[in-house]
Amino acid sequence: MLPWKRVLRPLTALLFAAAVATVPAATAHASSAPSTGWNDYSCRPSAAHPRPVILVHGTLGNSVDNWLSLAPYLEGRGYCVFSLDYGQLNGVPVFYGLGPIDKSAEQLSAYVDKVLSATGAAKADLVGHSQGGMMPRYYLRFLGGAAKVNALVGLAPDNHGATISGLTNLLPYFPGAENLITATTPGLADQIPGSAFLTKLNAGGDTVPGVHYTVIATKYDEVATPWQSQYLSGSDVDNVLLQNLCPLDLSEHVAIGLFDRIAFHEVANALDPAHATATSCASAFS
């Protein structure tokens, strides 16, 4: 029998490096997040936007780089905007969201409490990309988050797992591969369809009462696949396909969270549905 662990360790490192390459190079360490405007703890929500918006990065993201476009987009529209780091592994700087997802949800819980205390708001709105759109559902269901959150907006959230265009289906052909991923990057293992984490998360329904859910997906997603698996079922869910709003939108999994202003316009609509305006290709210039 081949020494699979010896073979898989460099393979895992190679896949990790490839995944990192899909994320723009870090332009600032997460600890250098702005202290005014975005992540301004003196910000007080207005009557027009009474809830702070907390941005939850995706796997291999961080509180700065994931939000260099969306944070100022929302801040410029009058929102108090905040972002956190979660899921850090020892010895792995900048690229986060790799730790056990239930523990990441605990970090989100503490951060929401911090923001609510600082702003004086009763509830927050959460906007997450990829894992950041899925992980908060654990917080809402199991950690009391539903009482503190008005809305969860997911940009390409892997709500039912990430097959990475079917690559995870090959894991059974490599004995020990999944165990190795679990041991080294548990946050990745938790996102494999059928994982114990996802089974627990989705048992008994996708949503909890009292929270408004929005999923914004792109049919060109190559990570949270098939893209329809991102959708949620529930009584207060709005599932949106970008290409139904703008057929010319070619954004894939990374772009939808990093710089797609058509998706951002739909985020703004989800945060303030009473004043929503139609999202179209022209929203790229609004």
Side-chain angles (χ1 to χ4, degrees):
M1 179 178 291
L2 290 174
W4 288 113
K5 288 190 177 182
R6 292 183 183 178
V7 173
L8 286 169
R9 286 188 186 278
L11 177 60
T12 299
L14 179 62
L15 290 173
F16 181 83
V20 169
T22 68
V23 181
T27 56
H29 190 276
S31 63
S32 65
S35 59
T36 59
W38 164 27
N39 276 347
D40 176 8
Y41 288 91
S42 67
C43 186
R44 295 295 177 266
S46 65
H49 302 303
R51 292 175 299 276
V53 177
I54 297 175
L55 305 178
V56 190
H57 65 75
T59 306
L60 299 175
N62 62 54
S63 63
V64 176
D65 299 316
N66 216 140
W67 307 120
L68 290 173
S69 295
L70 181 56
Y73 179 96
L74 294 175
E75 191 272 334
R77 284 158 175 75
Y79 289 92
C80 292
V81 182
F82 301 87
S83 60
L84 78 155
D85 291 314
Y86 69 85
Q88 299 96 324
L89 292 180
N90 290 334
V92 181
V94 181
F95 300 106
Y96 303 141
L98 297 171
I101 298 181
D102 58 346
K103 300 302 180 184
S104 294
E106 293 176 4
Q107 295 175 25
L108 173 63
S109 177
Y111 190 77
V112 171
D113 287 347
K114 176 182 177 180
V115 169
L116 293 181
S117 177
T119 61
K123 290 188 175 185
D125 289 325
L126 307 180
V127 178
H129 178 216
S130 191
Q131 180 191 160
M134 173 271 289
M135 175 270 280
R137 293 177 49 227
Y138 189 95
Y139 162 59
L140 298 177
R141 181 178 291 276
F142 299 109
L143 303 179
K148 302 173 184 179
V149 172
N150 169 71
L152 170 61
V153 184
L155 290 159
D158 55 339
N159 282 313
H160 299 95
T163 67
I164 317 177
S165 298
L167 283 177
T168 58
N169 297 330
L170 300 177
L171 288 174
Y173 297 98
F174 296 89
E178 191 164 345
N179 290 337
L180 178 60
I181 295 172
T182 300
T184 56
T185 52
L188 296 182
D190 284 344
Q191 295 176 76
I192 297 173
S195 70
F197 173 83
L198 287 172
T199 298
K200 177 180 179 180
L201 175 65
N202 292 313
D206 291 343
T207 63
V208 296
V211 179
H212 310 288
Y213 295 83
T214 301
V215 172
I216 304 172
T218 170
K219 68 179 183 181
Y220 300 112
D221 202 304
E222 74 280 25
V223 176
T225 51
W227 62 263
Q228 294 91 338
S229 68
Q230 300 171 28
Y231 281 1
L232 296 172
S233 297
S235 59
D236 197 354
V237 174
D238 187 15
N239 291 312
V240 179
L241 180 64
L242 271 183
Q243 284 71 35
N244 287 341
L245 306 175
C246 175
L248 300 178
D249 194 321
L250 301 179
S251 289
E252 41 65 71
H253 187 78
V254 174
I256 191 176
L258 293 191
F259 52 75
D260 189 332
R261 290 177 69 91
I262 297 171
F264 294 175
H265 188 270
E266 197 62 13
V267 169
N269 281 345
L271 295 175
D272 188 8
H275 300 95
T277 58
T279 301
S280 67
C281 295
S283 300
F285 307 101
S286 63

